[in-house]
Protein backbone atom coordinates (compact mmCIF):
# COMPACT_ATOMS: atom_id res chain seq x y z
CA UNK A 1 0.00 0.00 0.00
CA UNK A 2 1.37 3.43 -0.95
CA UNK A 3 0.60 6.73 0.74
CA UNK A 4 1.66 10.18 -0.46
CA UNK A 5 2.54 12.97 1.95
CA UNK A 6 2.59 16.63 0.91
CA UNK A 7 4.25 19.12 3.25
CA UNK A 8 3.93 22.89 2.79
CA UNK A 9 6.42 24.73 4.97
CA UNK A 10 5.53 28.40 5.39
CA UNK A 11 7.54 31.44 6.48
CA UNK A 12 9.12 31.16 9.88
CA UNK A 13 9.75 27.46 9.44
CA UNK A 14 12.34 27.67 6.65
CA UNK A 15 13.91 30.62 4.79
CA UNK A 16 11.65 31.79 1.96
CA UNK A 17 12.95 31.02 -1.53
CA UNK A 18 12.83 33.31 -4.53
CA UNK A 19 11.60 31.76 -7.76
CA UNK A 20 14.61 30.33 -9.60
CA UNK A 21 13.31 31.75 -12.91
CA UNK A 22 13.87 35.29 -11.67
CA UNK A 23 17.51 34.70 -10.71
CA UNK A 24 20.15 34.77 -13.41
CA UNK A 25 23.21 32.59 -13.24
CA UNK A 26 25.31 35.71 -12.70
CA UNK A 27 23.17 36.81 -9.75
CA UNK A 28 22.92 33.41 -8.10
CA UNK A 29 26.10 33.78 -6.07
CA UNK A 30 24.96 37.17 -4.82
CA UNK A 31 21.62 35.96 -3.41
CA UNK A 32 21.74 34.55 0.08
CA UNK A 33 19.33 31.83 1.21
CA UNK A 34 17.34 34.03 3.66
CA UNK A 35 16.53 36.43 0.81
CA UNK A 36 14.85 33.79 -1.34
CA UNK A 37 11.09 34.25 -1.49
CA UNK A 38 8.96 31.15 -2.20
CA UNK A 39 7.26 28.49 -0.09
CA UNK A 40 9.17 25.23 -0.11
CA UNK A 41 7.03 22.26 -1.05
CA UNK A 42 8.09 18.64 -0.58
CA UNK A 43 6.36 15.53 -1.83
CA UNK A 44 7.35 12.03 -0.94
CA UNK A 45 5.91 8.54 -0.98
CA UNK A 46 5.97 6.13 1.95
CA UNK A 47 4.90 2.52 1.59
CA UNK A 48 3.37 0.32 4.29
CA UNK A 49 3.23 -3.21 3.02
CA UNK A 50 1.84 -4.73 6.23
CA UNK A 51 -0.25 -3.58 9.19
CA UNK A 52 1.42 -3.41 12.59
CA UNK A 53 0.38 -6.64 14.37
CA UNK A 54 0.17 -4.82 17.72
CA UNK A 55 -2.99 -3.01 16.58
CA UNK A 56 -5.54 -5.53 17.83
CA UNK A 57 -8.17 -3.31 19.46
CA UNK A 58 -9.51 -1.96 16.19
CA UNK A 59 -9.76 -5.49 14.76
CA UNK A 60 -11.69 -6.50 17.87
CA UNK A 61 -14.12 -3.66 17.17
CA UNK A 62 -14.57 -4.92 13.61
CA UNK A 63 -15.61 -8.33 15.01
CA UNK A 64 -18.15 -6.73 17.38
CA UNK A 65 -19.68 -4.60 14.64
CA UNK A 66 -19.85 -7.51 12.20
CA UNK A 67 -21.59 -9.73 14.78
CA UNK A 68 -24.03 -6.93 15.61
CA UNK A 69 -24.81 -6.11 11.98
CA UNK A 70 -23.79 -2.47 12.41
CA UNK A 71 -22.93 -0.99 8.99
CA UNK A 72 -19.26 -0.13 8.81
CA UNK A 73 -16.29 -0.14 6.48
CA UNK A 74 -12.82 -1.35 7.50
CA UNK A 75 -9.78 -0.29 5.51
CA UNK A 76 -6.01 -0.01 5.82
CA UNK A 77 -4.54 3.35 6.84
CA UNK A 78 -0.79 3.96 7.11
CA UNK A 79 0.60 1.08 9.19
CA UNK A 80 -2.78 0.36 10.77
CA UNK A 81 -6.52 0.52 10.20
CA UNK A 82 -9.54 2.77 9.90
CA UNK A 83 -13.15 1.79 10.59
CA UNK A 84 -15.94 4.06 9.36
CA UNK A 85 -19.46 3.93 10.80
CA UNK A 86 -21.78 4.18 7.76
CA UNK A 87 -25.46 4.01 8.75
CA UNK A 88 -26.59 5.96 5.67
CA UNK A 89 -24.03 4.48 3.28
CA UNK A 90 -21.80 7.41 4.13
CA UNK A 91 -19.34 7.98 6.93
CA UNK A 92 -20.67 9.78 10.01
CA UNK A 93 -17.95 8.73 12.46
CA UNK A 94 -14.69 6.83 12.31
CA UNK A 95 -11.93 5.36 14.43
CA UNK A 96 -8.29 4.94 13.51
CA UNK A 97 -5.33 3.10 14.96
CA UNK A 98 -1.98 3.78 13.34
CA UNK A 99 1.44 5.22 14.13
CA UNK A 100 0.08 8.77 14.53
CA UNK A 101 -3.18 8.14 16.42
CA UNK A 102 -3.72 8.95 20.07
CA UNK A 103 -3.37 5.89 22.31
CA UNK A 104 -1.80 3.58 19.74
CA UNK A 105 1.12 2.82 22.07
CA UNK A 106 -1.40 1.16 24.43
CA UNK A 107 -3.41 -0.50 21.63
CA UNK A 108 -6.18 2.10 21.86
CA UNK A 109 -7.96 4.05 19.14
CA UNK A 110 -8.85 7.61 18.23
CA UNK A 111 -12.46 8.44 17.34
CA UNK A 112 -13.84 11.27 15.23
CA UNK A 113 -17.46 12.43 15.23
CA UNK A 114 -18.19 11.36 18.79
CA UNK A 115 -20.01 14.60 19.71
CA UNK A 116 -22.78 13.86 17.19
CA UNK A 117 -23.41 10.32 18.45
CA UNK A 118 -23.02 10.15 22.20
CA UNK A 119 -26.18 10.45 24.27
CA UNK A 120 -24.66 13.11 26.47
CA UNK A 121 -22.82 16.11 25.10
CA UNK A 122 -19.11 15.45 25.62
CA UNK A 123 -18.32 19.11 25.03
CA UNK A 124 -19.80 19.83 28.45
CA UNK A 125 -17.54 17.29 30.10
CA UNK A 126 -14.47 16.95 27.93
CA UNK A 127 -12.29 19.54 26.26
CA UNK A 128 -12.84 18.05 22.82
CA UNK A 129 -13.91 19.11 19.34
CA UNK A 130 -15.47 15.80 18.44
CA UNK A 131 -12.16 13.91 18.43
CA UNK A 132 -11.41 11.72 21.42
CA UNK A 133 -8.30 9.60 21.83
CA UNK A 134 -7.32 6.57 23.85
CA UNK A 135 -10.69 4.86 23.40
CA UNK A 136 -11.28 1.11 23.23
CA UNK A 137 -13.49 -1.24 21.23
CA UNK A 138 -16.18 -1.63 23.89
CA UNK A 139 -16.75 2.11 24.15
CA UNK A 140 -16.97 2.62 20.39
CA UNK A 141 -19.29 -0.38 20.02
CA UNK A 142 -21.69 0.98 22.65
CA UNK A 143 -21.82 4.49 21.17
CA UNK A 144 -22.23 3.35 17.57
CA UNK A 145 -24.76 0.60 18.34
CA UNK A 146 -26.85 2.99 20.46
CA UNK A 147 -27.00 5.42 17.56
CA UNK A 148 -27.86 2.72 15.03
CA UNK A 149 -30.66 1.27 17.17
CA UNK A 150 -32.10 4.76 17.58
CA UNK A 151 -32.25 5.52 13.85
CA UNK A 152 -33.18 2.01 12.71
CA UNK A 153 -36.33 0.68 14.46
CA UNK A 154 -36.13 -2.55 12.45
CA UNK A 155 -32.71 -3.45 13.80
CA UNK A 156 -32.54 -7.12 14.81
CA UNK A 157 -32.08 -7.56 18.56
CA UNK A 158 -30.69 -11.04 17.95
CA UNK A 159 -27.65 -9.56 16.21
CA UNK A 160 -27.17 -7.17 19.11
CA UNK A 161 -27.22 -9.96 21.71
CA UNK A 162 -24.89 -12.10 19.62
CA UNK A 163 -22.41 -9.21 19.61
CA UNK A 164 -22.72 -8.80 23.38
CA UNK A 165 -21.83 -12.45 23.83
CA UNK A 166 -18.64 -11.76 21.93
CA UNK A 167 -18.00 -8.61 23.97
CA UNK A 168 -18.43 -10.40 27.28
CA UNK A 169 -16.08 -13.18 26.22
CA UNK A 170 -13.32 -10.72 25.35
CA UNK A 171 -13.87 -7.97 27.96
CA UNK A 172 -13.60 -9.46 31.46
CA UNK A 173 -12.56 -6.05 32.86
CA UNK A 174 -13.27 -2.43 31.94
CA UNK A 175 -10.84 -0.53 34.14
CA UNK A 176 -9.74 1.56 31.14
CA UNK A 177 -13.15 2.84 30.01
CA UNK A 178 -13.44 6.25 31.73
CA UNK A 179 -15.71 7.80 29.09
CA UNK A 180 -18.12 4.85 29.03
CA UNK A 181 -18.16 4.67 32.83
CA UNK A 182 -19.11 8.34 33.03
CA UNK A 183 -21.94 7.86 30.53
CA UNK A 184 -23.12 4.78 32.42
CA UNK A 185 -23.23 6.65 35.73
CA UNK A 186 -25.22 9.49 34.16
CA UNK A 187 -27.69 7.09 32.50
CA UNK A 188 -28.18 4.79 35.47
CA UNK A 189 -30.63 6.88 37.47
CA UNK A 190 -33.34 7.24 34.79
CA UNK A 191 -32.97 3.53 34.03
CA UNK A 192 -33.59 2.68 37.68
CA UNK A 193 -36.70 4.87 37.79
CA UNK A 194 -38.26 3.74 34.49
CA UNK A 195 -37.06 0.23 33.68
CA UNK A 196 -40.38 -0.77 32.14
CA UNK A 197 -40.19 2.11 29.65
CA UNK A 198 -36.96 1.04 27.99
CA UNK A 199 -36.57 -1.37 25.12
CA UNK A 200 -35.39 -4.92 25.62
CA UNK A 201 -32.12 -4.13 23.82
CA UNK A 202 -31.50 -1.16 26.14
CA UNK A 203 -32.16 -3.32 29.18
CA UNK A 204 -29.75 -5.99 27.95
CA UNK A 205 -27.09 -3.33 27.33
CA UNK A 206 -27.42 -1.69 30.75
CA UNK A 207 -27.49 -5.16 32.37
CA UNK A 208 -24.21 -6.07 30.68
CA UNK A 209 -22.57 -2.75 31.57
CA UNK A 210 -23.65 -3.08 35.19
CA UNK A 211 -21.88 -6.44 35.37
CA UNK A 212 -18.79 -5.18 33.59
CA UNK A 213 -18.57 -2.21 35.95
CA UNK A 214 -19.21 -4.52 38.92
CA UNK A 215 -22.21 -2.49 40.09
CA UNK A 216 -23.80 -5.04 42.40
CA UNK A 217 -26.35 -2.59 43.81
CA UNK A 218 -27.78 -1.76 40.39
CA UNK A 219 -27.69 -5.41 39.30
CA UNK A 220 -29.94 -6.16 42.27
CA UNK A 221 -32.36 -3.53 40.96
CA UNK A 222 -32.26 -4.98 37.44
CA UNK A 223 -32.83 -8.55 38.58
CA UNK A 224 -35.92 -7.32 40.42
CA UNK A 225 -37.42 -6.12 37.12
CA UNK A 226 -40.29 -8.43 36.16
CA UNK A 227 -40.33 -7.79 32.43
CA UNK A 228 -38.51 -9.39 29.50
CA UNK A 229 -36.54 -11.92 31.54
CA UNK A 230 -36.30 -14.18 28.51
CA UNK A 231 -34.13 -11.68 26.70
CA UNK A 232 -31.55 -11.53 29.49
CA UNK A 233 -31.36 -15.32 29.34
CA UNK A 234 -29.55 -15.04 26.00
CA UNK A 235 -26.52 -13.47 27.69
CA UNK A 236 -27.00 -14.58 31.29
CA UNK A 237 -24.44 -17.38 31.21
CA UNK A 238 -21.84 -14.99 29.80
CA UNK A 239 -22.70 -12.45 32.49
CA UNK A 240 -22.20 -15.04 35.21
CA UNK A 241 -18.88 -16.12 33.71
CA UNK A 242 -17.79 -12.47 33.57
CA UNK A 243 -18.51 -12.11 37.29
CA UNK A 244 -16.50 -15.28 37.95
CA UNK A 245 -13.59 -13.91 35.90
CA UNK A 246 -13.75 -10.70 37.92
CA UNK A 247 -13.84 -12.75 41.15
CA UNK A 248 -16.91 -10.77 42.10
CA UNK A 249 -18.82 -13.46 43.91
CA UNK A 250 -21.58 -11.15 45.13
CA UNK A 251 -22.61 -10.47 41.54
CA UNK A 252 -22.16 -14.12 40.63
CA UNK A 253 -24.55 -15.06 43.46
CA UNK A 254 -27.16 -12.44 42.45
CA UNK A 255 -27.14 -13.59 38.83
CA UNK A 256 -27.18 -17.29 39.65
CA UNK A 257 -30.11 -16.80 42.01
CA UNK A 258 -31.89 -14.77 39.31
CA UNK A 259 -31.32 -17.60 36.84
CA UNK A 260 -32.73 -20.29 39.12
CA UNK A 261 -35.67 -18.24 40.42
CA UNK A 262 -36.87 -17.54 36.90
CA UNK A 263 -35.87 -20.88 35.34
CA UNK A 264 -33.72 -19.16 32.71
CA UNK A 265 -32.01 -22.19 31.25
CA UNK A 266 -30.84 -22.63 27.69
CA UNK A 267 -31.45 -26.34 27.30
CA UNK A 268 -31.72 -25.94 23.54
CA UNK A 269 -29.66 -23.79 21.20
CA UNK A 270 -31.20 -20.39 20.58
CA UNK A 271 -31.21 -19.01 17.07
CA UNK A 272 -31.19 -15.26 17.33
Amino acid sequence: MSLSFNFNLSAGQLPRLQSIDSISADDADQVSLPELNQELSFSGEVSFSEANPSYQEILKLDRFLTAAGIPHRTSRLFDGWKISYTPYDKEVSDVVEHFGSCGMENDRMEINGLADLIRINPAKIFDTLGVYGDINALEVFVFWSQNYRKINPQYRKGNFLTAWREVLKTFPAVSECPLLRLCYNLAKKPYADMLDCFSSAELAEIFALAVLFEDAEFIAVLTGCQTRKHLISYILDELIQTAINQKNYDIQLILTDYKHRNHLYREKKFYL
Side-chain angles (χ1 to χ4, degrees):
M1 181 177 181
S2 297
L3 284 301
S4 294
F5 298 120
N6 292 303
F7 302 94
N8 291 312
L9 305 176
S10 60
Q13 295 176 295
L14 283 179
R16 299 183 66 82
L17 303 181
Q18 184 177 340
S19 173
I20 194 66
D21 292 335
S22 66
I23 305 175
S24 68
D26 294 337
D27 294 334
D29 292 338
Q30 302 175 11
V31 180
S32 61
L33 191 60
E35 295 173 348
L36 300 181
N37 187 30
Q38 179 185 346
E39 285 192 354
L40 176 64
S41 187
F42 168 76
S43 295
E45 189 173 89
V46 179
S47 296
F48 298 104
S49 59
E50 296 181 358
N52 189 326
S54 66
Y55 302 149
Q56 291 298 308
E57 195 69 10
I58 196 164
L59 299 179
K60 186 186 297 182
L61 173 63
D62 178 72
R63 294 199 302 272
F64 296 164
L65 296 172
T66 299
I70 304 296
H72 66 288
R73 183 171 59 252
T74 302
S75 57
R76 282 287 310 278
L77 181 62
F78 303 137
D79 66 334
W81 303 90
K82 173 182 177 178
I83 299 181
S84 302
Y85 169 50
T86 56
Y88 309 106
D89 293 325
K90 64 179 182 179
E91 179 180 308
V92 299
S93 178
D94 69 82
V95 293
V96 296
E97 187 175 6
H98 55 67
F99 72 92
S101 61
C102 180
M104 48 75 63
E105 64 277 4
N106 297 315
D107 193 19
R108 292 294 184 265
M109 299 172 291
E110 178 182 302
I111 187 170
N112 180 54
L114 180 62
D116 297 327
L117 300 176
I118 198 169
R119 285 185 172 181
I120 61 173
N121 184 358
K124 296 179 180 179
I125 303 169
F126 303 98
D127 182 17
T128 178
L129 296 176
V131 177
Y132 188 84
D134 205 26
I135 198 168
N136 66 31
L138 173 61
E139 293 178 298
V140 178
F141 170 72
V142 170
F143 298 139
W144 284 1
S145 65
Q146 281 185 352
N147 179 263
Y148 191 62
R149 295 199 316 271
K150 180 179 179 181
I151 65 176
N152 185 3
Q154 304 304 315
Y155 175 63
R156 288 176 55 86
K157 297 180 179 67
N159 290 344
F160 184 62
L161 293 174
T162 298
W164 266 107
R165 288 182 188 171
E166 180 71 16
V167 170
L168 291 168
K169 290 175 182 176
T170 56
F171 261 99
V174 286
S175 58
E176 299 180 4
C177 296
L179 177 58
L180 184 58
R181 182 183 289 274
L182 176 61
C183 296
Y184 166 80
N185 288 335
L186 291 173
K188 188 170 66 171
K189 187 179 187 305
Y191 268 105
D193 294 340
M194 301 181 294
L195 286 174
D196 290 338
C197 299
F198 288 92
S199 71
S200 53
E202 288 175 320
L203 285 174
E205 178 182 72
I206 199 72
F207 215 120
L209 290 175
V211 172
L212 287 169
F213 287 124
E214 303 187 57
D215 190 349
E217 182 179 352
F218 192 50
I219 292 169
V221 173
L222 290 169
T223 54
C225 179
Q226 297 302 307
T227 61
R228 294 173 289 238
K229 298 185 185 71
H230 68 283
L231 191 80
I232 304 302
S233 70
Y234 287 110
I235 59 172
L236 187 55
D237 288 342
E238 287 78 14
L239 293 173
I240 292 173
Q241 186 59 51
T242 297
I244 294 172
N245 294 341
Q246 294 170 331
K247 298 183 179 180
N248 193 317
Y249 303 116
D250 289 340
I251 293 178
Q252 178 190 353
L253 181 61
I254 293 172
L255 294 177
T256 303
D257 178 67
Y258 177 68
K259 176 178 180 177
H260 287 281
R261 277 191 293 110
N262 294 285
H263 308 288
L264 300 177
Y265 302 104
R266 288 188 289 174
E267 297 177 354
K268 297 180 180 180
K269 183 176 181 180
F270 286 90
Y271 293 93
L272 298 175

